[in-house]
Amino acid sequence: MHEAMECQGAAGAGLLNSREAIRDLFDDYYATLDAVDLEAWPNFFTEDCVYRVISRENYERGFSLATIGAESRGMLMDRVTGLRTTQVYAPRYYRRFAGPLKIGRGADGAVPVEHNLLLVQTLIDKQSEIILSARCYDSVVEVDGRLALERRDVVFDSEMIPNSLIYPA
Amino acid sequence: MSKNHTWPEDGRGRVPFWVYTDPQVYREEIDKIWYGPHWLYVGLECEIPNVGDFKTTTLGERPVIMVRSGVDEITVVENRCAHRGLKFCQERFGNRQDLLCPYHQWAYSLRGDLIGVPFRRGVKKQGGMPADFDPSANGLHRLRVEEANGVVWATFSDETPSFREYLGERFWKHYTRVYDGRKLEVLGYNRQRIPGNWKLMQENIKDPYHAGLLHVFFVTFGLFRADQKSAVDIDDLGRHGILISRKGEKEQNEVTADMRQFKSDLVLNDPRILDVVQEFTGEETVGMITIFPSVILQQQVNSLTTRQIVPSGPGAFDFHWTHWTYADDSSEMKQRRTRQANLFGPAGFVSADDGEVIEFSQQGFSPSEDEAALVTMGGREIECTDHMVTETAIRGMYDYWRKVMGYA
Ligand code: FES
Ligand SMILES: [Fe+2]
């Protein structure tokens, strides 16, 4: 009885009211990227999402330039195509360490979420290094009964990137 | 000269690896090239619009401050206190009425003159600077500065000719094709540390041979290909270069057959990144200028960028990208340039490749200083060409480098 009520509650008020569902979304997101399941990555976003990995100086000064910028899920898919088929780079592992989520109050059917992110890179035969130290500003919405990102800004303090930023954050 | 290095037999056809690895050669380069008779890129005039606005950067290895010292005057001083040598200004950008060192609060005017020394005459008749202390001889070290159509250049040497003369008339023409006097506006910055010798970045942009092979993205979508009408121009001394090209269509032919990585079936899900408009006169869509030694001026379709090189030892350099737009561009054009920036920078579809291969290069050179690279694509001459299958501009740069460095 209790379980059924909760279930109904979730369905009625939507997944957006469930902190657990939002946490699951980010857990899945990072697990997918850490596993380099790049093809699955764009599915976390809405069709006309905005995705940016942007330096703190550009972000704070209102500059449009992002180190990676996409204005649609299609552009994210093109990123994956680039990484898989056209780009040249040394083999590496990326591992993402996300801090606690600060889940804000939703308005207009979107919930703002903030958290810290550390992106650690390990190249073969090299010591691990921090490739990004960032704060993420996401906007989560519900589409077709599941949660998705309609906007994601990864704002990094670590502006001097150690050579290349290959995989997404 | 260090370690009695001698240039390989095959003069122009080879570049020995010690030019990239020997710390003493690097030190000589810093003195003879970076602090020698050459203009170095400092920044864009539009980065410091108001009097008192400043930007800090590094020329060679020396920190400097570029400051608007008057409505129509830009000053570049070394960021080093005349008292005890502190790099006293730590912000990247800001606005000040004067330049103040926090240690003992010596104050300098925006032109770098020493205007304040606390307790200069002592306290209660005790201490203070000696009577012969001359503030006018203890200002910040000021560099020679020239602004050319929105770009600020500085030089440490009195020997350097005027900037226009430094470029030469042909390169002045290339330069003013894009820097035509219109007001510029910054779109944003990218910064990366590339673990390779600084000259490798110059070489990379002087090397059209790789562009049509390494950069599968370029080639696949027709942005830069060996069969497109193109040219390499070099200044009379061999130090500056430009790669000029024309965008083509995505197609398969004998050239793509030579490219093992060509992807004929590749399509973009969202092709707005390739929404290119022709904005400069003539049919050329690419003009990549290398100004020796400090900067690359990029015009790649609608992406306009200065890429500043800051050397850091023989094995690394910092690369600062400033993406800009014309101030009077439409918002649509600014967005187009912002979008196309995805091709460039540390995460660029194309430029990430370059950072990676430069790192691979340094890894190859370091353990084998006495070996040498081959640069004989297109022959051994140093000449302007109307094709891309050449390393002529790299040969030109080393011809000049050897003269300046004294390696006959
Ligand atoms: S070191 Fe700058 S004031 Fe003393
Ligand atoms: Fe390249």
Side-chain angles (χ1 to χ4, degrees):
Chain A
M1 178 68 189
H2 182 240
E3 239 183 322
M5 265 180 67
E6 219 177 52
C7 203
Q8 217 178 31
L15 286 165
L16 277 176
N17 283 334
S18 163
R19 298 175 71 86
E20 203 184 334
I22 290 174
R23 275 199 197 96
D24 285 348
L25 171 73
F26 284 94
D27 287 349
D28 286 352
Y29 181 89
Y30 289 121
T32 301
L33 280 182
D34 283 358
V36 208
D37 186 3
L38 298 177
E39 285 70 16
W41 169 62
N43 299 332
F44 284 91
F45 293 84
T46 61
E47 180 98 42
D48 50 5
C49 65
V50 173
Y51 170 89
R52 298 191 303 174
V53 180
I54 183 169
S55 72
R56 184 170 181 158
E57 74 172 321
N58 288 346
Y59 187 76
E60 287 182 347
R61 296 180 69 188
F63 291 143
S64 61
L65 188 88
T67 302
I68 302 177
E71 298 151 82
S72 67
R73 190 199 287 147
M75 284 191 186
L76 297 178
M77 290 157 79
D78 295 335
R79 273 275 160 194
V80 176
T81 308
L83 286 169
R84 290 286 194 219
T85 62
T86 73
Q87 286 183 237
V88 171
Y89 48 93
R92 68 198 63 209
Y93 308 109
Y94 273 19
R95 206 159 286 287
R96 296 157 187 82
F97 299 88
L101 302 185
K102 180 181 160 198
I103 301 172
R105 288 209 163 272
D108 303 330
V111 171
V113 179
E114 286 181 31
H115 63 287
N116 287 344
L117 178 67
L118 204 58
L119 182 54
V120 175
Q121 159 175 285
T122 311
L123 285 153
I124 289 170
D125 292 335
K126 296 248 176 74
Q127 288 180 329
S128 301
E129 62 187 337
I130 293 169
I131 189 123
L132 291 181
S133 170
R135 183 125 182 112
C136 305
Y137 301 90
D138 293 271
S139 176
V140 181
V141 294
E142 187 179 332
V143 190
D144 300 334
R146 59 184 200 90
L147 296 182
L149 303 172
E150 63 161 7
R151 181 168 192 109
R152 176 168 171 81
D153 280 332
V154 179
V155 182
F156 57 98
D157 309 331
S158 48
E159 286 163 1
M160 187 60 75
I161 292 175
N163 206 353
S164 320
L165 175 64
I166 300 296
Y167 297 122
Chain B
M1 233 185 284
S2 58
K3 282 195 195 159
N4 301 318
H5 288 306
T6 48
W7 202 264
E9 291 278 295
D10 183 13
R12 287 174 167 174
R14 295 247 176 206
V15 179
F17 292 163
W18 50 258
V19 309
Y20 308 102
T21 58
D22 186 330
Q24 213 169 320
V25 170
Y26 170 78
R27 280 256 59 87
E28 283 173 30
E29 283 181 325
I30 290 291
D31 291 339
K32 293 182 180 165
I33 293 172
W34 293 84
Y35 305 150
H38 301 103
W39 285 103
L40 307 177
Y41 172 87
V42 193
L44 302 179
E45 166 275 336
C46 66
E47 292 178 283
I48 47 168
N50 304 309
V51 174
D53 283 351
F54 69 85
K55 166 191 169 169
T56 57
T57 181
T58 307
L59 304 184
E61 293 184 332
R62 294 203 186 147
V64 299
I65 308 168
M66 164 175 101
V67 56
R68 186 167 295 272
S69 46
V71 175
D72 286 314
E73 184 192 70
I74 289 172
T75 294
V76 177
V77 288
E78 285 196 52
N79 186 357
R80 188 181 66 233
C81 180
H83 180 215
R84 300 271 279 276
L86 263 75
K87 177 186 168 186
F88 62 91
C89 183
Q90 294 282 328
E91 289 87 25
R92 200 177 261 154
F93 291 95
N95 181 286
R96 296 281 188 284
Q97 279 174 355
D98 50 25
L99 304 172
L100 186 73
C101 175
Y103 203 179
H104 313 91
Q105 295 180 12
W106 283 29
Y108 305 91
S109 74
L110 298 178
R111 292 196 175 91
D113 299 319
L114 180 60
I115 52 173
V117 175
F119 312 134
R120 179 179 164 197
R121 316 235 178 251
V123 176
K124 294 181 182 161
K125 298 209 168 87
Q126 290 180 307
M129 292 299 268
D132 65 355
F133 176 72
D134 177 7
S136 71
N138 286 280
L140 300 172
H141 180 229
R142 198 170 20 226
L143 276 67
R144 279 177 63 204
V145 176
E146 270 198 43
E147 191 215 312
N149 289 353
V151 187
V152 181
W153 304 86
T155 178
F156 287 92
S157 167
D158 294 332
E159 255 59 311
T160 321
S162 73
F163 179 69
R164 185 163 175 164
E165 222 178 301
Y166 182 68
L167 287 189
E169 281 311 303
R170 283 209 320 285
F171 271 73
W172 178 255
K173 217 174 142 205
H174 292 313
Y175 179 83
T176 51
R177 171 176 168 268
V178 171
Y179 298 88
D180 57 6
R182 273 184 282 171
K183 195 108 180 97
L184 315 182
E185 181 185 308
V186 170
L187 285 176
Y189 303 95
N190 260 322
R191 305 178 195 275
Q192 64 188 132
R193 161 153 292 211
I194 300 184
N197 185 270
W198 66 271
K199 295 186 291 304
L200 289 169
M201 195 65 244
Q202 287 279 348
E203 286 180 30
N204 181 268
I205 305 297
K206 289 175 186 289
D207 166 16
Y209 179 34
H210 91 282
L213 292 162
L214 171 69
H215 301 310
V216 181
F217 193 92
F218 261 176
V219 179
T220 301
F221 297 108
L223 293 176
F224 202 109
R225 276 228 321 250
D227 55 343
Q228 287 159 8
K229 193 162 174 357
S230 58
V232 177
D233 195 3
I234 309 170
D235 80 315
D236 293 340
L237 292 171
R239 55 194 176 182
H240 316 309
I242 181 171
L243 305 190
I244 301 164
S245 178
R246 243 183 236 186
K247 179 184 168 310
E249 295 307 317
K250 187 179 167 190
E251 60 174 290
Q252 265 175 292
N253 58 23
E254 50 151 358
V255 168
T256 57
D258 236 17
M259 286 194 51
R260 296 183 37 188
Q261 302 298 331
F262 183 72
K263 304 281 189 270
S264 61
D265 54 349
L266 213 60
V267 284
L268 292 177
N269 285 287
D270 188 335
R272 280 181 290 175
I273 194 171
L274 300 176
D275 162 34
V276 169
V277 298
Q278 185 68 24
E279 60 175 315
F280 299 105
T281 49
E283 292 183 304
E284 294 77 21
T285 55
V286 179
M288 298 292 292
I289 305 179
T290 46
I291 308 255
F292 188 82
S294 69
V295 75
I296 288 139
L297 304 176
Q298 161 181 322
Q299 180 260 312
Q300 238 302 348
V301 285
N302 304 114
S303 177
L304 305 171
T305 308
T306 62
R307 309 184 188 181
Q308 183 191 5
I309 298 169
V310 177
S312 178
F317 65 94
D318 288 343
F319 207 29
H320 299 267
W321 303 65
T322 305
H323 287 257
W324 58 267
T325 183
Y326 296 105
D328 60 6
D329 276 335
S330 66
S331 59
E332 189 193 0
M333 192 61 167
K334 289 177 185 175
Q335 191 182 20
R336 176 179 290 113
R337 297 195 204 283
T338 301
R339 202 177 272 147
Q340 288 179 12
N342 277 288
L343 295 165
F344 309 102
F349 280 114
V350 170
S351 296
D353 298 348
D354 291 317
E356 290 290 302
V357 296
I358 287 175
E359 184 169 0
F360 303 167
S361 301
Q362 196 73 19
Q363 290 171 352
F365 305 153
S366 288
S368 310
E369 276 206 348
D370 296 328
E371 302 292 325
L374 258 180
V375 283
T376 47
M377 206 66 189
R380 284 180 173 75
E381 300 310 306
I382 297 165
E383 58 193 1
C384 304
T385 67
D386 55 3
H387 61 83
M388 284 191 205
V389 203
T390 181
E391 289 165 327
T392 179
I394 300 178
R395 290 191 291 274
M397 182 175 79
Y398 281 101
D399 217 50
Y400 181 72
W401 187 92
R402 285 166 66 188
K403 278 192 202 108
V404 176
M405 295 286 288
Y407 292 97

